[in-house]
Amino acid sequence: DTAVSQTPKYLVTQMGNDKSIKCEQNLGHDTMYWYKQDSKKFLKIMFSYNNKELIINETVPNRFSPKSPDKAHLNLHINSLELGDSAVYFCASSFAGWAGELFFGEGSRLTVL
Amino acid sequence: AQTVTQSQPEMSVQEAETVTLSCTYDTSESNYYLFWYKQPPSRQMILVIRQEAYKQQNATENRFSVNFQKAAKSFSLKISDSQLGDTAMYFCAFMKREYGNKLVFGAGTILRVKS
């Protein structure tokens, strides 16, 4: 069983479209994250949720809206896609409390044309 | 704000040899954690090793060990007996002791193990 699973793994779309990436974890963790890895491989946190509550929001454009229906799921919806949104988006999960190890999904590569 | 610097964009090593990847960080915190993550071509992020700042003893995990110099804010990763499967991008990361478990990553070092 995959611990942190993301769908889709690859996504190609046109500028201006809206798309979603879904994430699910079966590890019983209570905290989930979205990280963005840009074309230079730089990884940066976007959002963090604990028990469906947003706890970290790192200066991300309003076009990005995370949604956590329950603590096992964290979805990322992106409106009005731009070329600069092309990246690999990683979902991760952990237990709350400091230094809980983060378990990452396989990433979703988004290409905006 | 914390920053993590990996000064070696790329490194290569012969199979069975030892290689050390460098990492420095900047923080005013006293309680924090440091990590090395590996990202092979498959793209999966894999935790290699973790170090608690309050522990003086360097962490080890089989062939992987760290040299943690808290005063110098340095956290290098040593890979012994390098294997072809170690070929990957390696990221150093910092986590402040706070609610939210936010990881701050360095820019990464590409390691190529040659046969």
Side-chain angles (χ1 to χ4, degrees):
Chain A
D1 273 351
T2 304
V4 182
S5 59
Q6 299 179 224
T7 53
K9 301 278 191 295
Y10 297 92
L11 190 53
V12 180
T13 189
Q14 300 287 330
M15 263 197 320
N17 284 349
D18 302 339
K19 290 295 176 185
S20 293
I21 305 171
K22 296 185 175 181
C23 179
E24 175 181 6
Q25 55 94 4
N26 62 6
L27 297 167
H29 290 156
D30 53 8
T31 306
M32 295 185 73
Y33 314 78
W34 280 110
Y35 279 80
K36 178 181 179 179
Q37 186 173 41
D38 64 22
S39 57
K40 295 183 179 177
K41 302 290 189 180
F42 188 69
L43 273 155
K44 193 171 190 302
I45 192 168
M46 300 173 69
F47 302 103
S48 171
Y49 270 77
N50 177 260
N51 281 321
K52 304 191 296 178
E53 179 188 350
L54 180 67
I55 52 174
I56 294 176
N57 183 346
E58 288 281 306
T59 326
V60 178
N62 293 339
R63 299 181 296 101
F64 291 79
S65 52
K67 284 190 171 52
S68 183
D70 55 58
K71 70 176 189 179
H73 295 84
L74 180 61
N75 303 322
L76 183 65
H77 187 75
I78 315 170
N79 289 326
S80 303
L81 279 157
E82 300 177 356
L83 293 176
D85 297 332
S86 294
V88 179
Y89 293 85
F90 284 95
C91 177
S93 71
S94 75
F95 288 113
W98 44 274
E101 177 187 342
L102 269 68
F103 290 78
F104 284 83
E106 294 177 320
S108 297
R109 179 179 292 280
L110 171 64
T111 302
V112 182
L113 303 175
Chain B
Q2 289 76 32
T3 58
V4 178
T5 302
Q6 294 179 248
S7 58
Q8 305 150 315
E10 294 189 33
M11 292 194 71
S12 60
V13 63
Q14 287 296 127
E15 207 174 359
E17 293 188 349
T18 296
V19 64
T20 299
L21 309 184
S22 301
C23 173
T24 58
Y25 57 95
D26 186 28
T27 185
S28 57
E29 302 290 327
S30 57
N31 288 326
Y32 52 87
Y33 289 76
L34 295 162
F35 304 81
W36 279 97
Y37 275 87
K38 167 185 176 180
Q39 187 178 38
S42 66
R43 207 168 68 195
Q44 181 75 49
M45 293 288 290
I46 302 163
L47 178 66
V48 175
I49 200 164
R50 180 174 88 172
Q51 174 79 43
E52 291 89 344
Y54 63 86
K55 287 187 178 178
Q56 292 188 331
Q57 187 172 4
N58 289 325
T60 61
E61 285 288 341
N62 301 314
R63 298 183 294 108
F64 298 87
S65 61
V66 298
N67 183 0
F68 173 48
Q69 302 287 328
K70 190 171 184 180
K73 296 180 183 174
S74 169
F75 183 61
S76 60
L77 175 70
K78 185 171 85 171
I79 306 174
S80 304
D81 186 25
S82 297
Q83 300 175 1
L84 295 177
D86 295 333
T87 293
M89 185 87 148
Y90 286 81
F91 292 96
C92 179
F94 174 99
M95 181 187 286
K96 191 167 69 170
R97 183 175 171 169
E98 66 177 355
Y99 184 60
N101 288 349
K102 172 184 167 182
L103 275 171
V104 176
F105 285 92
T109 296
I110 299 172
L111 176 67
R112 294 188 175 88
V113 180
K114 299 178 179 179
S115 58

